[in-house]
Amino acid sequence: VVFLTNAGNCLRSAKAQELSQALGLQVSPEQVILSHSPLRLFSQFHQKCMLVAGQGPVEENALNLGFKHVVTIEALRKAYPLLDMVDQSRRPKELPPPTTGFPTIEGVILFGEPVRWETSLQLIIDVLLSNGNPGAELKDIPYPHLPILACNMDLLWMAEAKMPSRFGHGTFLLCLENIYKKVTGRELKYEALIGKPSTVTYRYAEYLIKQQAEKQGWKSPIRRLYAVGDNPMSDIYGANLYNNYLKSAQQNQVQVKRSPEAASPQAEDHLELRKDCNNSVESCESILVCTGVYRHNVDVPSKMEECTTETVFHGHRDFCFDPSLVEASYIVQDVNDAVQLAFQKENWS
């Protein structure tokens, strides 16, 4: 079992402890996949100077993932106080001295939605337009821009508010993409999009599950995965997309390309998973529960398409909308029912 979440504003150990307390059993950090966890395999960026945005322990998370040189939005703001000008109360009262010795930024990691959106949007755009040197004046806007690694594409998420959903990191990305395009006339490009429903995140989940099986002495290969979630546009879409990937792999047609259905730029050659994951897994069954984002007030319908197909596409722009991908293999009331269903399908008493 792995616990796959698009949350990224905490440490993996903290999320494992939270799950352990909630479930009344011991969950190890190795069983937790945060939105940014697969970044530990993007070693080609680990030696570069990376700007990190989000909230929570973003710097510590980056270092734990293997990145050696990290600059936070707040550190960038302090180094270049003239950049952050939306909030009049934070504008410098006097002209600061020129900034010297600040490192050139070589890439951007977007861990999750920040607290002050206007500051992060402004400074990230500044870094992209200046090729990592916000104090410089460039004659031409650099394009392609610096590599961007983005975690968590959820437009909305379920909270305690009576209004149905709250803004997620996908909403922040939407703002960033549109500002960049409005300013430059060009599309913002991602080096990687990870977190659900990214194929690479489910691939990483398979990798960790197989590691667990080996540690527990399992001899027989794992053939089926069961993905349980409450969000059709992330949990179910991602599980179904990965199921399609597994089917293609069985037919020896795996060629991950920079296309929407292949989850855009998160190509397999970025990862060390190819040699670590054999192709024993044949399918990934998606199970939709009704205790979160997705709810219905009647009994489980017999026709899934009546309740899962959305008229408005809430997914990221780099993922094509295929109505079949948001149709769950099964719909049950809650996680307990989902586990019982998996036991039944596997003939486990």
Side-chain angles (χ1 to χ4, degrees):
V1 176
V2 294
F3 297 88
L4 180 59
T5 173
N6 269 354
N9 58 355
C10 63
L11 298 174
R12 194 161 64 149
S13 57
K15 179 60 71 173
Q17 184 177 6
E18 178 186 331
L19 286 168
S20 297
Q21 293 174 348
L23 298 174
L25 52 84
Q26 186 60 42
V27 176
S28 71
E30 289 72 28
Q31 291 178 280
V32 176
I33 302 176
L34 301 174
S35 60
H36 50 69
S37 294
L39 285 180
R40 69 177 61 255
L41 301 177
F42 285 66
S43 56
Q44 69 271 35
F45 296 104
H46 287 175
Q47 299 299 326
K48 295 182 181 296
C49 180
M50 305 294 288
L51 175 68
V52 293
Q55 57 182 295
V58 289
E59 187 172 10
E60 188 174 356
N61 273 329
L63 295 174
N64 288 341
L65 290 167
F67 294 92
K68 307 300 183 185
H69 310 286
V70 176
V71 173
T72 64
I73 291 288
E74 187 58 26
L76 182 63
R77 177 182 166 271
K78 289 181 178 179
Y80 298 96
L82 295 178
L83 297 181
D84 186 19
M85 301 295 279
V86 173
D87 186 344
Q88 296 187 26
S89 67
R90 301 216 302 180
R91 293 179 182 176
K93 302 299 185 287
E94 299 178 357
L95 191 65
T99 301
T100 58
F102 198 81
T104 298
I105 294 170
E106 300 173 279
V108 180
I109 303 174
L110 306 177
F111 277 113
E113 61 271 19
V115 174
R116 298 183 68 101
W117 286 32
E118 80 283 359
T119 297
S120 292
L121 288 169
Q122 176 72 76
L123 269 61
I124 293 168
I125 292 291
D126 288 336
V127 165
L128 297 179
L129 298 184
S130 66
N131 210 31
N133 293 283
E137 294 185 27
L138 299 184
K139 294 181 180 180
D140 300 312
I141 296 175
Y143 198 82
H145 54 68
L146 295 175
I148 300 175
L149 311 173
C151 315
N152 181 359
M153 296 155 276
D154 286 352
L155 186 76
L156 305 169
W157 63 283
M158 191 68 185
E160 290 75 21
K162 291 184 179 180
M163 292 298 292
S165 299
R166 305 296 85 209
F167 290 164
H169 192 216
T171 308
F172 178 81
L173 298 180
L174 185 66
C175 294
L176 182 66
E177 292 156 9
N178 282 279
I179 293 171
Y180 184 84
K181 186 171 184 179
K182 193 72 173 179
V183 171
T184 67
R186 291 168 167 167
E187 292 285 348
L188 187 81
K189 303 291 185 181
Y190 296 97
E191 185 70 23
L193 283 167
I194 63 174
K196 298 177 293 185
S198 160
T199 301
V200 80
T201 293
Y202 287 79
R203 182 89 161 130
Y204 187 61
E206 177 191 336
Y207 168 64
L208 293 187
I209 284 175
K210 288 183 174 180
Q211 280 193 329
Q212 285 183 45
E214 290 178 6
K215 290 180 180 178
Q216 295 176 17
W218 283 43
K219 301 300 182 183
S220 57
I222 296 172
R223 299 297 185 190
R224 284 170 297 281
L225 301 176
Y226 293 88
V228 182
D230 70 332
N231 190 331
M233 276 315 311
S234 61
D235 304 319
I236 303 306
Y237 185 110
N240 290 338
L241 191 66
Y242 192 56
N243 186 59
N244 288 352
Y245 170 87
L246 292 171
K247 299 299 183 186
S248 296
Q250 292 173 37
Q251 301 168 7
N252 297 320
Q253 295 175 350
V254 178
Q255 290 183 349
V256 180
K257 300 178 181 179
R258 288 177 177 257
S259 64
E261 190 162 356
S264 191
Q266 73 261 339
E268 191 179 1
D269 54 331
H270 279 304
L271 304 175
E272 299 169 0
L273 297 180
R274 182 175 299 181
K275 63 178 182 292
D276 293 318
C277 275
N278 57 42
N279 292 325
S280 67
V281 174
E282 298 172 352
S283 66
C284 180
E285 304 286 328
S286 57
I287 306 178
L288 180 63
V289 297
C290 306
T291 49
V293 172
Y294 175 78
R295 294 181 179 180
H296 60 88
N297 298 321
V298 295
D299 293 335
V300 175
S302 58
K303 295 183 178 180
M304 287 179 289
E305 63 270 13
E306 292 179 0
C307 60
T308 58
T309 301
E310 299 191 9
T311 57
V312 178
F313 180 51
H314 286 175
H316 190 268
R317 54 143 217 223
D318 287 357
F319 287 71
C320 66
F321 178 58
D322 179 348
S324 68
L325 292 177
V326 296
E327 295 181 8
S329 305
Y330 308 95
I331 302 177
V332 298
Q333 184 57 38
D334 54 29
V335 173
N336 182 63
D337 287 348
V339 173
Q340 295 303 322
L341 175 65
F343 282 7
Q344 178 185 346
K345 299 290 291 183
E346 297 298 320
N347 295 318
W348 292 345
S349 57

